[in-house]
Amino acid sequence: MIIDTHAHYDNGRYKSDRHELLKALPINGVEKIINIGCDLKTSKDSIKLAEAYPYVFATVGAHPHYVKGLNDDVVCELAKMCENKKVVGFGEIGLDFFHNFSPQETQRFWFKQLLELTAELNLPAIIHSRDANDEVFETISASSVRRGVIHAFSGDASLARDYVEMGFHIGIGGVITFKKADTLKEAVAAIPLEKILLETDCPYLSPEPHRGKRNESHYISYIAEVIADIKGETVESVCNITGENAKKLFEI
């Protein structure tokens, strides 16, 4: 049971073979995927993909890169889209102080607003955090949101434990297969397998040995192999347990 909890198959890098890839997912051992919305357009596109395939689900969100163009009307439209039965989460939302494509104060304002909306919608939150780990944690702590996933987790073992204690799952992707991923491996070792979700972030963050190339959901097996080694489990067990985690969190 492989469930990719974070994918972007609406991305232009799949333009030539998107539907061939999606149709082949079950053949390649991928039971379900969740396609993530980052703004109004990608949220709509994610829902279209989810409606076209029974094993694809969607989220609706406003990534910190794009909140500089956000307004109340767009937020209302995003909220309305969450009424669709194939929408299983809200996000990506969060802070990105690495690229700073949106001003930091604008990111802060909308992150707080969107967390409030997530709580009102009663959906799991998909959290983006880059170069802002402490502030993201503090902002979530001050909110009422207590379930979701910290996507592409980049913190240490202590932060991972704190998020798990708060009620969150930790999203682990291709980075854990990199040679210099010791801190992330320590974080995985520090938390229960029952609080880990597998994700690709495809087309980004391909695991070794495909690093630098377009990512695809069936590459999750490489991620599961590393986690299995850390946890002293079989790859099959890692996939099954994390798959059950995803089913419970997203109710799919």
Side-chain angles (χ1 to χ4, degrees):
M1 181 197 301
I2 291 177
I3 297 182
D4 184 354
T5 60
H6 198 112
H8 298 282
Y9 279 107
D10 55 292
N11 187 277
R13 291 177 69 181
Y14 299 107
K15 185 176 180 179
S16 65
D17 60 351
R18 178 179 295 113
H19 293 290
E20 288 79 4
L21 274 172
L22 289 171
K23 287 177 183 177
L25 286 177
I27 300 171
N28 289 321
V30 180
E31 181 178 336
K32 303 178 190 294
I33 70 162
I34 299 175
N35 209 76
I36 306 297
C38 292
D39 59 9
L40 193 58
K41 182 184 184 303
T42 58
S43 295
K44 289 179 179 178
D45 290 343
S46 293
I47 291 174
K48 288 179 181 178
L49 287 176
E51 290 177 335
Y53 298 92
Y55 44 85
V56 177
F57 299 84
T59 72
V60 168
H63 191 290
H65 285 352
Y66 309 117
V67 293
K68 60 184 176 183
L70 204 57
N71 57 53
D72 290 339
D73 289 340
V74 173
V75 172
C76 287
E77 189 169 355
L78 290 171
K80 183 71 174 177
M81 292 163 63
C82 293
E83 296 176 5
N84 189 296
K85 293 181 179 180
K86 293 301 291 284
V87 174
V88 297
F90 196 81
E92 295 178 48
I93 60 174
L95 300 175
D96 191 311
F97 293 166
F98 178 78
H99 289 292
N100 288 308
F101 290 157
S102 295
Q104 290 189 5
E105 283 306 313
T106 303
Q107 292 187 50
R108 291 185 175 104
F109 172 81
W110 282 114
F111 186 29
K112 293 175 183 178
Q113 301 299 312
L114 294 171
L115 279 171
E116 289 183 11
L117 177 58
T118 305
E120 292 173 11
L121 294 169
N122 193 29
L123 288 170
I126 294 84
I127 303 295
H128 177 100
S129 176
R130 188 164 186 191
D131 282 13
N133 279 335
D134 291 343
E135 189 163 342
V136 167
F137 182 82
E138 291 167 3
T139 305
I140 296 173
S141 297
S143 77
S144 60
V145 176
R146 290 295 180 270
R147 67 188 181 115
V149 54
I150 310 302
H151 158 58
F153 183 77
S154 61
D156 59 15
S158 177
L159 183 61
R161 284 192 292 262
D162 287 344
Y163 270 122
V164 166
E165 185 175 344
M166 190 187 291
F168 278 80
H169 287 70
I170 303 299
I172 303 298
V175 173
I176 201 167
T177 68
F178 299 171
K179 291 182 179 179
K180 296 182 180 180
D182 291 343
T183 299
L184 183 56
K185 291 175 181 177
E186 290 169 1
V188 167
I191 60 175
L193 190 54
E194 288 73 16
K195 299 300 291 187
I196 293 173
L197 299 180
L198 302 185
E199 58 179 36
T200 57
D201 201 22
C202 63
Y204 315 108
L205 297 178
S206 295
E208 299 286 1
H210 301 283
R211 188 175 182 180
K213 300 177 182 179
R214 189 184 72 172
N215 205 355
E216 299 175 12
S217 291
H218 58 279
Y219 292 167
I220 273 184
S221 59
Y222 297 104
I223 300 164
E225 286 175 7
V226 176
I227 295 176
D229 184 60
I230 294 169
K231 291 294 191 182
E233 298 275 357
T234 64
V235 172
E236 181 181 15
S237 178
V238 168
C239 289
N240 287 341
I241 292 172
T242 57
E244 286 297 330
N245 299 343
K247 287 183 174 181
K248 291 176 183 177
L249 176 63
F250 294 107
E251 299 180 1
I252 56 177

